[in-house]
Amino acid sequence: MPVKAYNSLTDRVRLIDKSKELPYDLLLLADETVESINKYIFQSDVYVLERDQQNIAVYALQTINDDTVEIKNIAVDTSFQGHGIGQELLKDAMNRAKESGFKRIVIGTGDAGIHQLYIYQKAGFEMFEIRHRFFLDNFPEPIFENGIQLKHMVMLKKDL
Ligand code: ACO
């Protein structure tokens, strides 16, 4: 059966109660280890996209300061990737951040994350900072993406 694109009538984005559920299976698509996820997830609001009673995507929003919120994790179940759901989740995150009074939303990704850099810039984010050696200093094992070892974190921002 072909994968359906995002549909605002059948898909529902829901804030989860972290004391009851945390979708590590999805969160681990965007981050390497449970330990690294646990460094931010308990200080974040976690939203899941539900379709037919199934969680098919997630994002986590963390307040950085009065003006800025960061998308710390965004992931779509592998069977549903490439059908516009990621773009819809980015829009959902921006809308919620704006409604909550934030002025700016930021997101970070690995320097070799070409697909992610494309999606974020297509959604209106622009690069503003490089966190040098982030992946070398924060993970015990080398991480490869697109055949390239991740070294630095590229930070992107969008004014709301
Ligand atoms: N390769 C190249 N381009 C692609 C691919 C692909 N595999 N998949 C989708 N695209 C294109 C789409 O064609 C679309 O472009 P278009 O609008 O010009 O047609 C664009 O990328 C947006 O694609 P979506 O379908 O909206 O993206 P998707 O639903 O797959 O979600 C996401 C994107 C979240 C990155 C998803 O692929 C994913 O979960 N990846 C694994 C986890 C991950 O890397 N998360 C981000 C880490 S960084 C962080 O979490 C802060």
Side-chain angles (χ1 to χ4, degrees):
M1 197 165 55
V3 173
K4 286 180 288 169
Y6 178 82
N7 180 334
S8 59
L9 296 177
T10 54
D11 295 343
R12 189 166 74 102
V13 179
R14 162 175 80 81
L15 176 68
I16 65 163
D17 177 348
K18 295 191 295 266
S19 67
K20 298 212 175 97
E21 54 172 334
L22 258 179
Y24 281 108
D25 50 339
L26 290 170
L27 293 163
L28 280 164
L29 297 172
D31 212 331
E32 291 307 303
T33 61
V34 170
E35 290 69 33
S36 57
I37 292 168
N38 285 348
K39 286 183 189 159
Y40 55 79
I41 208 71
F42 299 106
Q43 295 84 45
S44 302
D45 284 339
V46 182
Y47 296 88
V48 290
L49 176 67
E50 253 185 16
R51 176 179 290 179
D52 302 330
Q53 281 97 49
Q54 189 195 347
N55 294 337
I56 63 166
V58 69
Y59 72 85
L61 273 186
Q62 185 181 41
T63 299
I64 304 298
N65 57 43
D66 287 352
D67 289 338
T68 307
V69 71
E70 177 170 349
I71 302 176
K72 298 293 289 185
N73 187 307
I74 179 164
V76 176
D77 183 305
T78 47
S79 339
F80 296 89
Q81 288 177 10
H83 295 273
I85 292 170
Q87 285 288 354
E88 289 300 327
L89 283 189
L90 288 171
K91 278 190 218 155
D92 192 87
M94 290 180 222
N95 289 340
R96 284 178 202 268
K98 193 171 178 177
E99 278 166 18
S100 303
F102 291 101
K103 305 267 186 297
R104 187 160 102 136
I105 187 162
V106 302
I107 191 163
T109 192
D111 46 3
I114 292 149
H115 173 47
Q116 292 85 340
L117 287 168
Y118 167 76
I119 290 177
Y120 303 152
Q121 289 177 93
K122 191 151 188 228
F125 286 80
E126 62 180 71
M127 298 178 200
F128 72 99
E129 185 183 307
I130 292 181
R131 297 192 178 156
H132 287 279
R133 296 188 53 85
F134 181 89
F135 293 95
L136 302 176
D137 294 342
N138 286 285
F139 294 93
E141 302 292 334
I143 305 165
F144 286 86
E145 215 166 305
N146 303 309
I148 305 167
Q149 186 178 358
L150 293 188
K151 292 182 181 162
H152 316 299
M153 169 94 88
V154 180
M155 296 300 300
L156 301 98
K157 64 170 179 168
K158 181 171 164 52
D159 289 333
L160 297 168

